[in-house]
Amino acid sequence: RLRNHAMELNGEFELGGVGLDEAWRFLGDLKRITPCLPNLVDWGAIDDRSVRARFKANIGVIPSLEYLSRVTADVVIRVERLDRDNNAIEYSFDGKAAGIRYSGKIRLAVMPMAENSTKVSWRAEVDLGRLAPLLSRFVNLDEVVGGIVRDVVDSIKKCAR
């Protein structure tokens, strides 16, 4: 839900056929996750816990804002916390799209399920900054961001196998 310029989203997914140890190694390694993300144009490691990436903006078709379909979004993603004892991973991200800054945090709870399967519960807080009022005049932000999240989750599930 959009509050001011911030959105909170949450959900869960299963990594079938991926045991807890492998899920943990994969989800804690941005160099393995980043190439899997949808609409990725370019990326590079900054250090062991940070990457810089560029994505093609995918906000749908807005005839009056057609130029936004060609915009790229630059972002720095960091692993802020790897807490194996509490099955928690936390990422932060800061970026810029169409000259406007955005940021957020993503928290994962990585839990074992049945044999060789892992459940990932996630919560994301995204501050869209001035992008929120601009885009919300033309699109349903819940739908657009929800679609992006579904694409990211699907990509992560495919890559983790």
Side-chain angles (χ1 to χ4, degrees):
R1 300 242 46 123
L2 184 64
R3 288 201 180 109
N4 296 326
H5 298 159
M7 296 184 81
E8 290 184 19
L9 305 123
N10 58 62
E12 62 184 41
F13 59 92
E14 182 180 340
L15 295 175
V18 180
L20 182 62
D21 289 338
E22 179 55 28
W24 186 260
R25 282 190 297 275
F26 175 73
L27 294 169
D29 186 351
L30 287 174
K31 289 181 227 122
R32 289 181 66 191
I33 294 173
T34 304
C36 302
L37 298 176
N39 301 311
L40 182 69
V41 174
D42 190 25
W43 77 279
I46 296 171
D47 56 39
D48 286 346
R49 293 173 72 113
S50 305
V51 296
R52 182 177 314 278
R54 174 169 283 169
F55 297 91
K56 181 180 176 219
N58 182 13
I59 58 168
V61 177
I62 307 171
S64 58
L65 295 176
E66 189 175 318
Y67 71 94
L68 283 179
S69 66
R70 296 184 299 272
V71 167
T72 56
D74 294 313
V75 65
V76 172
I77 308 166
R78 287 180 247 5
V79 175
E80 298 289 348
R81 181 174 162 222
L82 288 171
D83 184 348
R84 185 73 190 253
D85 292 338
N86 293 302
N87 297 316
I89 300 173
E90 185 174 308
Y91 311 99
S92 67
F93 60 90
D94 294 287
K96 195 172 188 180
I100 301 173
R101 297 203 173 280
Y102 61 93
S103 62
K105 290 190 178 298
I106 301 168
R107 292 174 182 89
L108 305 181
V110 184
M111 306 293 291
M113 287 186 65
E115 187 176 320
N116 209 30
S117 187
T118 303
K119 175 181 167 183
V120 179
S121 298
W122 59 270
R123 181 171 173 237
E125 300 166 7
V126 182
D127 183 348
L128 296 171
R130 293 188 330 243
L131 280 172
L134 171 68
L135 294 176
S136 64
R137 293 186 357 221
F138 303 99
V139 298
N140 180 321
L141 282 179
D142 288 334
E143 287 179 14
V144 170
V145 174
I148 291 168
V149 168
R150 278 190 302 279
D151 290 347
V152 168
V153 167
D154 289 346
S155 296
I156 287 173
K157 286 166 61 174
K158 288 177 190 167
C159 253
R161 293 188 183 117

